[in-house]
Amino acid sequence: MPVLQGMGHDQTAFELRSGLSVAGVEWTWLVPWLLASAVIAAIGARGARWHALRHQLLDHPGERRSHKVPTPRGGGIGIALAWGLAWLVAPWLLQVPVTLAAAVLAGLLLVGGVGFVDDHRTLSAWWRLAAHVAAGALIAVALAANGALPWQALFALVAVPVLVNVWNFMDGIDGLAASQAALVALAVALLSGMASAGAVLALVLVAACAGFLPMNFPRARIFLGDVGSGTLGYAIAVQASVLVWSDVGGAGLLPVLLLPLSAFLVDATLTLAWRIVRGETWWTAHVQHSYQQLAFSFADHRPVTLLYGAWTACALLLAVVAASRVASFRFSAAAVCLLVAAVAWRAARGSVGHPDKQDRH
């Protein structure tokens, strides 16, 4: 059956191979694939922990960090491997265009590669940003080559560096970045239609996050590291870009996508803007995000991760409902959601007094 076929374009539709299917998805091979992705992510996290402990790749507590004990980093490399392998075989199993899959993998090497290097030794923020922009350009060019409209290619070009850095900014407490990525990827899968190649690849990301999370929540035995947070932001941007390219609703889907992303986008954007206005070195580590302020207030990461998860789960449900409604409903839902999130951001920052006076968790 045709899936992920762009409106008004002649590109070949992605199709799942023939076999036993439920709602168009061949669960006889999809379920083992998802389980394998979770296992790869879990093994990768454990292997990264052994490597980090052996080479003393530890994040130490400090006034600009939200944890209390030295913790290994780099555990997200398993997620990168699991999701990357899915895109590697996608041209054969899902009939994804080879040019798109190649661009996705090249971009993953760029984003994950600079993250991996930064986990081992400090790398300039500008070099990292250059790699993120280059990865976005690769996706934009590949989509354009496969019939994407100019605005769809532009969306990918912007989404990749933005979401990579959003996930990097928001990866500061146990379980938060991976759980949010899993929920957003699930939203993309549902919006894609569960019989689509895009949905399958998004579900692989969900499974990989699930495989990693036991090592990171409720008590972190290893952090994602820049290789992990960068991969998650990149993967979400890619899956969202593919959805926007292939969705018959066109640009009307953009406000729907804002809903499950709202928690991270609002916290990251408003905090960044606040720091820029105050003339601070905004690209350096800090503890001024709302999730960090809440973690300080609760003296515990777990309720904050669960609170953000509950918000995004509700936003996911609203996104699924809004996707089938008229454009005015979609834009209204997104506007209200972002407004409420902004109010919550300000309230959270005031939950422990003046936020700028709080230096440590």
Side-chain angles (χ1 to χ4, degrees):
M1 65 183 294
V3 292
L4 282 185
Q5 188 171 12
M7 180 180 181
H9 302 301
D10 296 326
Q11 67 266 25
T12 302
F14 306 161
E15 296 178 357
L16 299 175
R17 300 298 186 187
S18 59
L20 179 63
S21 66
V22 178
V25 178
E26 296 176 45
W27 297 100
T28 51
W29 60 264
L30 179 56
V31 170
W33 190 0
L34 297 180
L35 290 175
S37 298
V39 170
I40 290 171
I43 292 174
R46 284 161 175 77
R49 187 173 191 275
W50 174 84
H51 173 78
L53 290 172
R54 182 180 181 185
H55 295 278
Q56 291 298 297
L57 302 175
L58 306 175
D59 282 339
H60 293 276
E63 64 180 15
R64 295 181 182 275
R65 298 186 182 275
S66 299
H67 60 283
K68 299 179 180 179
V69 297
T71 306
R73 62 178 179 267
I77 192 169
I79 296 176
L81 290 173
W83 187 73
L85 284 172
W87 274 93
L88 183 64
V89 300
W92 293 273
L93 291 181
L94 303 174
Q95 294 189 2
V96 173
V98 174
T99 50
L100 177 58
V104 170
L105 291 171
L108 179 60
L109 286 175
L110 279 171
V111 174
V114 296
F116 183 83
V117 171
D118 196 55
D119 286 335
H120 287 74
R121 61 179 181 85
T122 303
L123 190 64
S124 166
W126 302 110
W127 280 112
R128 298 199 305 270
L129 181 59
H132 304 160
V133 172
L138 285 172
I139 303 303
V141 169
L143 288 176
N146 283 279
L149 297 173
W151 74 266
Q152 294 168 330
L154 179 62
F155 175 85
L157 179 63
V158 173
V160 169
V162 167
L163 292 183
V164 166
N165 284 281
V166 164
W167 249 263
N168 183 267
F169 293 155
M170 298 296 289
D171 179 29
I173 63 173
D174 299 350
L176 182 64
S179 62
Q180 287 291 305
L183 287 168
V184 175
L186 178 59
V188 171
L190 293 172
L191 292 172
S192 299
M194 296 301 288
S196 73
V200 171
L201 292 164
L203 289 175
V204 167
L205 182 59
V206 175
C209 290
F212 168 79
L213 272 170
M215 292 290 289
N216 190 241
F217 188 80
R219 180 181 64 84
R221 287 176 283 170
I222 189 168
F223 293 150
L224 281 165
D226 280 354
V227 64
S229 61
T231 290
L232 289 179
Y234 174 71
I236 292 297
V238 168
Q239 298 294 162
S241 297
V242 170
L243 172 60
V244 167
W245 164 52
S246 58
D247 181 71
V248 294
L253 190 66
L254 296 180
V256 178
L257 279 173
L258 287 176
L259 292 168
L261 287 167
S262 59
F264 265 27
L265 284 180
V266 168
D267 197 346
T269 302
L270 293 184
T271 302
L272 176 63
W274 177 256
R275 285 170 58 78
I276 292 174
V277 168
R278 290 173 56 85
E280 300 179 15
T281 51
W282 52 267
W283 57 88
T284 60
H286 61 88
V287 288
Q288 295 183 28
H289 285 291
S290 288
Y291 75 86
Q292 293 166 318
Q293 296 293 303
L294 286 171
F296 184 93
S297 179
F298 285 116
D300 191 349
H301 294 183
R302 291 171 294 182
V304 182
T305 296
L306 293 174
L307 179 63
Y308 272 66
W311 172 280
T312 303
C314 292
L316 182 159
L317 294 175
L318 180 57
V320 172
V321 172
S324 62
R325 302 298 179 89
V326 296
S328 59
F329 182 91
R330 298 180 182 189
F331 281 97
S332 297
V336 170
C337 184
L338 293 175
L339 178 61
V340 174
V343 172
W345 173 85
R346 186 62 187 90
R349 288 174 62 82
S351 65
V352 289
H354 197 286
D356 301 316
K357 296 180 180 179
Q358 302 299 334
D359 292 326
R360 67 180 68 223
H361 171 57

